[in-house]
Amino acid sequence: MFRFSAPPPLSLYVHVPWCVRKCPYCDFNSHELKGDIPEAAYVDALLGDLEQDLPAVWGRPVSSVFIGGGTPSLLSPEALDRLLSGLRARLRLAPDAEITLEANPGTVEAGRFEEFHAAGINRLSIGVQSFDDDTLQRLGRIHGRREALRAAEAAHHAGFDNFNLDLMFGLPAQSLARGIDDIATALALEPTHISYYQLTLEPNTAFHHRPPALPPEEEIEAIQRQGQARLAAAGYAQYEVSAYARAGRQCRHNLNYWHFGDYLGIGAGAHAKITHAPEGRIERLWKKRHPRDYLAAADKVEGRATLRRSDAAFEFMMNALRLVEGFDTGLFGQRTGLAISAVTPALQEAERRGLIEWDAKRVRPTGRGRDFLNDLIELFLDGDE
């Protein structure tokens, strides 16, 4: 079906599904913690889950690990150390592998950042969202401005020379002044990476069922444009729709997603994409979603699906066109096993609409294409079977 000269780079995603409290805007597979996390049992389940997936990727190096959730930093340093030791024993982790842990400043784990660093975590992603106490309360966050500042300072103190701050805009009752203050505060904390994205009211969330009062569209646009200008002036280059980084500090794990690389996914509800190069096949699989079911099941896999030609072409475009620099046309063939001619009609139409710039070597979304990204991606929905 597909023709590959070699499989793409491989990453690992680890999902830890528990939170102290479910945020009203969150549509991730997260569950409010009732009692203690069953750490030992969950780490055992994660390693058993990985062992089931190993035959499909045997011998392939792993370039990055991302431990997300939920709030994975609720795990003790001892549990994370055992998890990472188990991963190293089973996988060929690259010597310079990027190993990221998501952290919530509203829990006591900020004081354990040094122990996380000692366990092998070399990058943090801290879910600040805002530095305004009133805004954070409206978002249902369990932390305030003081805890957010302390978490970033603790990251520096613990020796993390690479960490991300998550920041949102277009928040309930947010003014332009408050939005810009959030950016200014984040910049003063000197992270290497900032994720800056607009609040969206996702289905199956409390905010979707009971929408909060959001700023007018023109106010949201002003916050975004001025925020982006501040980021650029401070040396944070935008390389993806919502990602800004200092030179050389782009998130390698996310870049692998956006370049349509392969990834293992272990943990409750985790998804994986695996290229079986000799067979000319791309497979997706996903794990049992509820932590209770995941822990109880011997076989953690909930379902599998093989991608069709149109699936691969669309998914590649859905990811790669998020990048400001777009993609090398040769990468399309390497990652999908298809010739670029499979999407040439859609590329021509996108160019006609002013959504991309395109030549024999590179496809790049225009500013208009980034502003109307959904319209651009939809052009690739009807691929050749």
Side-chain angles (χ1 to χ4, degrees):
M1 182 183 288
F2 303 101
R3 293 183 179 179
F4 298 101
S5 57
L10 179 66
S11 295
L12 169 67
Y13 176 74
V14 182
H15 191 72
V16 179
W18 293 284
C19 285
V20 174
R21 181 196 300 163
K22 180 81 170 180
C23 295
Y25 58 85
C26 177
D27 68 339
F28 296 148
N29 182 32
S30 58
H31 302 260
E32 285 194 12
L33 192 58
K34 299 182 178 7
D36 295 329
I37 293 177
E39 284 190 333
Y42 197 68
V43 171
D44 287 342
L46 289 170
L47 297 177
D49 186 354
L50 176 60
E51 288 176 356
Q52 289 184 327
D53 290 347
L54 282 180
V57 297
W58 194 254
R60 292 172 60 181
V62 174
S63 59
S64 65
V65 178
F66 196 103
I67 306 171
T71 307
S73 52
L74 286 170
L75 292 176
S76 68
E78 293 77 17
L80 278 169
D81 183 68
R82 188 163 78 88
L83 171 62
L84 291 173
S85 295
L87 298 181
R88 293 188 187 97
R90 292 163 174 82
L91 292 168
R92 282 183 55 199
L93 277 187
D96 64 342
E98 176 191 88
I99 304 177
T100 301
L101 178 75
E102 285 189 336
N104 185 333
T107 57
V108 296
E109 86 278 347
R112 297 185 290 179
F113 282 176
E114 290 183 19
E115 294 174 273
F116 293 152
H117 193 271
I121 303 296
N122 56 32
R123 183 177 184 272
L124 291 174
S125 182
I126 304 173
V128 169
Q129 317 310 354
S130 174
F131 293 96
D132 182 80
D133 284 324
D134 290 340
T135 301
L136 289 167
Q137 189 172 17
R138 292 187 184 97
L139 288 174
R141 301 294 289 177
I142 63 171
H143 72 274
R145 178 184 177 90
R146 181 179 177 184
E147 289 82 7
L149 296 173
R150 191 166 58 212
E153 291 162 0
H156 282 297
H157 186 266
F160 285 97
D161 63 355
N162 192 14
F163 72 90
N164 169 66
L165 294 180
D166 265 352
L167 207 60
M168 300 169 72
F169 64 88
L171 303 177
Q174 186 179 50
S175 65
L176 175 59
R178 284 183 172 182
I180 298 309
D181 181 69
D182 275 347
I183 282 286
T185 304
L187 292 173
L189 294 170
E190 299 186 318
T192 50
H193 190 286
I194 294 177
S195 296
Y196 187 53
Y197 53 96
Q198 183 177 345
L199 171 67
T200 55
L201 305 185
E202 301 289 353
N204 302 315
T205 65
F207 271 4
H208 185 264
H209 296 294
R210 295 181 298 279
L214 299 180
E217 283 298 322
E218 58 272 18
E219 187 90 346
I220 294 174
E221 184 175 350
I223 295 171
Q224 180 181 13
R225 298 303 183 198
Q226 291 194 32
Q228 290 173 329
R230 293 285 189 99
L231 286 163
Y236 292 82
Q238 183 181 17
Y239 67 100
E240 189 265 347
V241 170
S242 58
Y244 302 75
R246 292 196 180 278
R249 292 301 193 173
Q250 296 90 344
C251 178
R252 287 156 51 190
H253 186 87
N254 285 343
L255 276 173
N256 190 45
Y257 289 148
W258 296 323
H259 286 149
F260 205 53
D262 277 0
Y263 50 93
L264 294 165
I266 61 174
H271 286 237
K273 169 193 167 273
I274 304 297
T275 299
H276 302 271
E279 303 169 24
R281 182 167 61 90
I282 304 173
E283 180 184 37
R284 287 204 175 277
L285 59 152
W286 52 97
K287 307 301 171 63
K288 295 188 184 299
R289 183 174 177 83
H290 198 283
R292 179 184 59 247
D293 299 333
Y294 178 82
L295 283 166
D299 183 358
K300 311 299 185 189
V301 176
E302 179 70 26
R304 299 177 184 269
T306 298
L307 268 62
R308 302 169 300 169
R309 288 166 57 89
S310 58
D311 296 330
F314 173 70
E315 290 188 19
F316 178 94
M317 292 297 176
M318 181 175 63
N319 286 283
L321 289 173
R322 295 182 63 87
L323 295 167
V324 172
E325 290 301 313
F327 61 92
D328 187 303
T329 52
L331 187 71
F332 178 82
Q334 294 170 23
R335 300 297 160 84
T336 67
L338 302 171
I340 193 70
S341 58
V343 292
T344 295
L347 289 171
Q348 292 172 333
E349 178 61 18
E351 184 179 38
R352 187 187 71 79
R353 297 188 189 184
L355 301 175
I356 64 167
E357 297 170 343
W358 176 42
D359 58 32
K361 294 183 178 180
R362 178 158 291 274
V363 177
R364 181 183 290 108
T366 61
R368 176 179 172 81
R370 292 197 300 273
D371 288 341
F372 295 94
L373 185 60
N374 288 340
D375 294 335
L376 171 55
I377 291 169
E378 283 176 3
L379 294 176
F380 299 90
L381 269 172
D382 297 321
D384 176 29
E385 284 301 318

